[in-house]
Amino acid sequence: MTLDDLTRTSGEWLRGTGPESDIVMCSRIRLARNLADFPFTNRASRNEKAGIESQVRSAVDAAGVEAAYFDVNAMSDLDRQFLVERQIISRELAAGEGPRGVAVTPKENISIMVNEEDHLRIQYMLSGFRLPEVWDEINALDDQLEDDIAFAYSSSLGYLTACPTNVGTGIRVGVMLHLPGLVANKQIDKVFRALQKINLAVRGLYGEGSQAFGDFYQISNQQTLGKSEEEIIKILTDVVPQVLQYERSARQELVTGRRQHLHDQVSRAYGVLKTAQTISSEETMLLLSSVRMGVNLGLIDDLSIATVNELFIQTQPAFLQKLRGSELDSDQRNVARASLLRSRLANGRAVEDE
Amino acid sequence: MICQKCQNEAVVHLTELVDGRRRERHLCVDCAREAGLTLPDAPPDLGLDAVLQGLIQKNVGELVGELAESRCPDCRLRYMDFRTGGRLGCPHDYRVFREGLLPMLQRFHGATRHVGKQARLRPGASLRLRLRSQLRQAVAREDYEEAARLRDQLRLKDQHA
């Protein structure tokens, strides 16, 4: 598998299947792990980073994970950005220095970042709301990697991480939610404040400090010490359904109270995406979000959620440039984006209101 | 601009308030020194790290003051570096800086003890970390004989790991 192969496929987590997938784009768990016999990445020499990288790579091979390894240190900035857009690597890994990389499986469920803030950042993603399943998978993978790696661990503090905010379980349990209803009725801040009170973090699609885009938000735990992995997962599996319920009633309110207005908004969004000759990334996200809600509410019936989900990623700057095989400036990207949208949405039409 | 005292290029430009009146002075390096002004040799360091550390010290109090200069023997990180940079340097730091870290963990996580998945015991790993840090220090002081000895020792341990 090469980077170019990735432009022809899309991650399983975009498929729009699994429980609650009208709102829950994907469930994701990541584990922070470090090798016990090396300094943390920020303190490791080039040689040590290379040593860490080769140990992790051989552990991944030995675990029988069918994964391609991408050398992030050697790749172009465009390729790095491409992997960030696909949620395969973090912006921090992209911007890092020295030997570092990522192992990715063909369906992009698993990504193992090497020499990010911690030596290993193991990530597992599945579409829909299925955290217990994701935990079973990543727990087994973690065990397999441990066959070949001595993890930094203390019996009192658990897995030792470069930042004390991750120490203990080293786990971040998150769900990515599409919340256009709560954005429309302006209740979203209220929901977030409530989540923050119980120590859950809310972030945009691209993690820490990134702005919410396309009305996508990630909710995840912050505390990693003093609670077991299962307890942390249970907090999320208890709380997220309440958020889903708020979102559903917000959508219902829009449908019953302002159906014509909503239908108009969705149809216009769809129309613009299908016909525009040049379109910015921001406008695309905004309109795709409307269309995604429209599909889920039955206002558009000839478009799959998977296609809409994919378009959120495929209309990003680096993807467009990879697809064209050349660097494009902002104006050229807007033209390429519009052309991609027209061809992907060519046969769609909005539902006639009875 | 020319120095007000000689014909050299002026590099020091000073605006003073004397008895409520502005006074401008433009001097070359030598005349400035003669006038008793201290000049930085290197480009001025803004000293942000020192400012930050000062602030943290002031606000976190005595305990940090004592801890601040303590240093991990393996990765050489000072506790103060951690407080400014936010990242620890190696797994041993959790033991070395325990006193400072525990209250921080309590504040952030509401706990100071791990519950949950347990890693397998690997007694040799911590020793290898120590050997590796000794190796790095030997290379740094160009003691290649010692470095070679440590490298062999590590190689042996890695095989048994």
Side-chain angles (χ1 to χ4, degrees), chain A residues 72-329:
Chain A
V72 173
N73 194 34
M75 71 177 55
S76 67
D77 283 341
L78 180 64
D79 285 344
R80 287 178 193 144
Q81 198 194 338
F82 173 69
L83 291 179
V84 171
E85 287 173 3
R86 287 181 91 91
Q87 305 270 327
I88 289 173
I89 67 172
S90 62
R91 287 189 296 194
E92 183 160 352
L93 188 78
E97 53 181 38
R100 65 196 193 283
V102 64
V104 190
T105 54
K107 286 183 177 171
E108 299 175 41
N109 296 110
I110 299 175
S111 95
I112 302 168
M113 285 189 277
V114 183
N115 285 331
E116 211 243 25
E117 178 182 304
D118 295 299
H119 298 154
L120 286 95
R121 286 284 177 97
I122 311 165
Q123 168 177 274
Y124 205 106
M125 285 198 282
L126 280 177
S127 55
F129 188 34
R130 329 181 235 177
L131 288 172
E133 203 178 325
V134 176
W135 167 240
D136 288 344
E137 296 285 351
I138 200 171
N139 190 20
L141 174 61
D142 182 48
D143 286 343
Q144 282 176 309
L145 293 173
E146 204 187 1
D147 287 342
D148 288 282
I149 299 175
F151 287 142
Y153 178 86
S154 110
S155 56
S156 62
L157 291 176
Y159 293 93
L160 303 177
T161 51
C163 184
T165 55
N166 295 313
V167 78
T169 53
I171 201 172
R172 176 139 295 148
V173 181
V175 288
M176 196 192 296
L177 306 178
H178 186 224
L179 302 174
L182 288 172
V183 172
N185 76 3
K186 302 191 170 61
Q187 296 294 299
I188 194 107
D189 288 332
K190 213 159 141 191
V191 174
F192 290 169
R193 276 198 298 276
L195 292 171
Q196 276 152 6
K197 269 194 191 130
I198 52 171
N199 293 309
L200 294 177
V202 181
R203 300 190 177 86
L205 185 52
Y206 289 106
E208 245 151 307
S210 78
Q211 270 197 323
F213 88 12
D215 303 324
F216 283 103
Y217 297 91
Q218 300 183 63
I219 298 177
S220 62
N221 68 302
Q222 282 182 297
Q223 298 177 326
T224 53
L225 184 66
K227 290 186 188 72
S228 72
E229 291 82 355
E230 286 85 358
E231 287 172 305
I232 293 169
I233 289 166
K234 187 165 186 307
I235 294 174
L236 270 294
T237 51
D238 284 349
V239 168
V240 169
Q242 297 178 47
V243 179
L244 300 187
Q245 204 182 334
Y246 286 132
E247 171 64 20
R248 290 228 166 81
S249 52
R251 289 183 185 186
Q252 204 49 51
E253 215 174 283
L254 286 173
V255 171
T256 50
R258 305 163 63 199
R259 186 181 173 89
Q260 204 169 31
H261 175 82
L262 179 72
H263 200 161
D264 180 62
Q265 185 202 327
V266 166
S267 304
R268 280 168 183 272
Y270 198 19
V272 169
L273 290 172
K274 281 195 294 190
T275 56
Q277 298 297 311
T278 169
I279 189 166
S280 72
S281 182
E282 294 73 31
E283 187 179 3
T284 305
M285 297 299 120
L286 193 75
L287 300 180
L288 277 175
S289 179
S290 259
V291 165
R292 192 180 190 278
M293 179 164 64
V295 172
N296 282 322
L297 293 174
L299 301 171
I300 295 172
D301 70 352
D302 57 357
L303 186 60
S304 75
I305 279 292
T307 303
V308 185
N309 287 350
E310 280 170 17
L311 285 174
F312 277 104
I313 304 297
Q314 295 177 349
T315 53
Q316 299 289 310
F319 186 94
L320 290 172
Q321 294 174 76
K322 291 285 286 177
L323 208 60
R324 286 293 161 110
S326 62
E327 288 199 18
L328 304 173
D329 65 25

Side-chain angles (χ1 to χ4, degrees), chain A residues 37 48 139 146 156 161, chain B residues 94 114 117 122 132 136:
Chain A
D37 49 344
E48 285 168 330
N139 190 20
E146 204 187 1
S156 62
T161 51
Chain B
Y94 279 95
H114 173 55
K117 185 168 182 174
R122 307 286 181 109
R132 234 182 276 282
R136 196 170 46 233

